Amino acid sequence: ETGVTQTPRHLVMGMTNKKSLKCEQHLGHNAMYWYKQSAKKPLELMFVYNFKEQTENNSVPSRFSPECPNSSHLFLHLHTLQPEDSALYLCASSQSMDRNQPQHFGDGTRLSIL
Amino acid sequence: AQKITQTQPGMFVQEKEAVTLDCTYDTSDPSYGLFWYKQPSSGEMIFLIYQGSYDQQNATEGRYSLNFQKARKSANLVISASQLGDSAMYFCAMSATSGTYKYIFGTGTRLKVLA
């Protein structure tokens, strides 16, 4: 069982819907991340939170809105998404943001936009 | 700009044999980390091995070893005694924390182990 849990595993939504992805880590880590994985493209780092403060937003459109209420939970709120937003969304955590820290990933949420 | 290149989209290896997955990187940061991850069809990314840019020795973790050649900017993953369960996507990644936080992945190599 992974130490990082993502729900839901699969999500189908229309372009006008509002939904949220949830991530919870049970590892006592201080940093959490959202990634987007599209077919035949490298993983794209979207957001970084360190001690529940957002430290990076890599030019992500405003239709993606992250929320980190504490160091163990991370949400990604979705609104008015586009078909090109269909992808696997991965959450990860690490002990710190030091360069030698590996990231621990959840199983991902596979998102399909109709 | 930082970049990770994995030139092998797919690889086959016979069970019990060794296989090398290639990774080259580009960075101007003097201090960085290199990682390999495995992604089975289930989707979860599993951390395999880490190499620091200042580490003198190549990293090893069980059947995994990292062939680090700093001058060539390469960090190839060697899997010894391949098992059927090794069939998966493998991603090379690089981290650097000078300036803004960076964690960059390559496009991955799909490994298929043959019985």
Side-chain angles (χ1 to χ4, degrees):
Chain A
E1 182 179 334
T2 177
V4 180
T5 304
Q6 288 187 245
T7 54
R9 289 298 308 277
H10 302 272
L11 179 61
V12 179
M13 57 187 285
M15 289 191 285
T16 58
N17 291 158
K18 291 183 181 181
K19 295 285 184 183
S20 297
L21 310 185
K22 179 182 176 182
C23 176
E24 182 176 1
Q25 59 98 357
H26 313 277
L27 302 169
H29 289 169
N30 297 311
M32 296 187 76
Y33 313 83
W34 278 117
Y35 286 88
K36 176 183 180 182
Q37 186 177 27
S38 305
K40 300 183 180 179
K41 292 176 67 176
L43 268 76
E44 301 171 55
L45 181 60
M46 301 173 71
F47 301 104
V48 180
Y49 278 81
N50 193 32
F51 290 97
K52 73 177 184 177
E53 296 296 323
Q54 184 175 321
T55 61
E56 298 289 335
N57 173 346
N58 289 322
S59 303
V60 181
S62 59
R63 58 185 183 268
F64 295 91
S65 174
E67 179 190 0
C68 188
N70 54 61
S71 293
S72 299
H73 293 85
L74 187 63
F75 295 89
L76 188 62
H77 303 301
L78 316 172
H79 176 52
T80 321
L81 295 192
Q82 304 299 308
E84 62 265 27
D85 297 324
S86 297
L88 180 68
Y89 288 83
L90 289 164
C91 174
S93 69
S94 62
Q95 182 62 48
S96 71
M97 290 177 62
D98 289 343
R99 62 170 175 81
N100 63 345
Q101 291 296 312
Q103 295 186 3
H104 298 261
F105 287 80
D107 291 340
T109 294
R110 188 160 297 281
L111 177 64
S112 299
I113 305 301
L114 301 178
Chain B
Q2 279 77 7
K3 187 177 180 181
I4 291 282
T5 302
Q6 295 181 254
T7 58
Q8 306 154 314
M11 291 279 287
F12 290 93
V13 64
Q14 205 66 39
E15 193 178 9
K16 300 181 184 177
E17 293 187 349
V19 63
T20 298
L21 306 183
D22 295 340
C23 172
T24 58
Y25 61 93
D26 191 17
T27 182
S28 55
D29 290 317
S31 178
Y32 50 90
L34 296 159
F35 303 81
W36 277 92
Y37 290 85
K38 171 185 178 182
Q39 187 178 39
S41 56
S42 58
E44 180 191 2
M45 297 280 280
I46 302 166
F47 165 67
L48 297 178
I49 193 167
Y50 163 80
Q51 179 85 43
S53 58
Y54 293 118
D55 293 344
Q56 297 295 315
Q57 290 192 320
N58 287 342
T60 60
E61 288 287 348
R63 294 187 298 112
Y64 304 109
S65 59
L66 201 152
N67 184 1
F68 180 46
Q69 298 189 48
K70 193 171 184 177
R72 294 185 178 184
K73 294 189 174 180
S74 73
N76 298 339
L77 177 70
V78 180
I79 305 174
S80 62
S82 296
Q83 302 172 357
L84 295 178
D86 294 334
S87 295
M89 283 289 289
Y90 288 82
F91 293 93
C92 181
M94 176 172 65
S95 70
T97 53
S98 59
T100 59
Y101 179 81
K102 308 175 190 72
Y103 209 97
I104 302 163
F105 284 79
T107 52
T109 296
R110 183 171 297 280
L111 177 67
K112 175 70 174 178
V113 180
L114 305 173

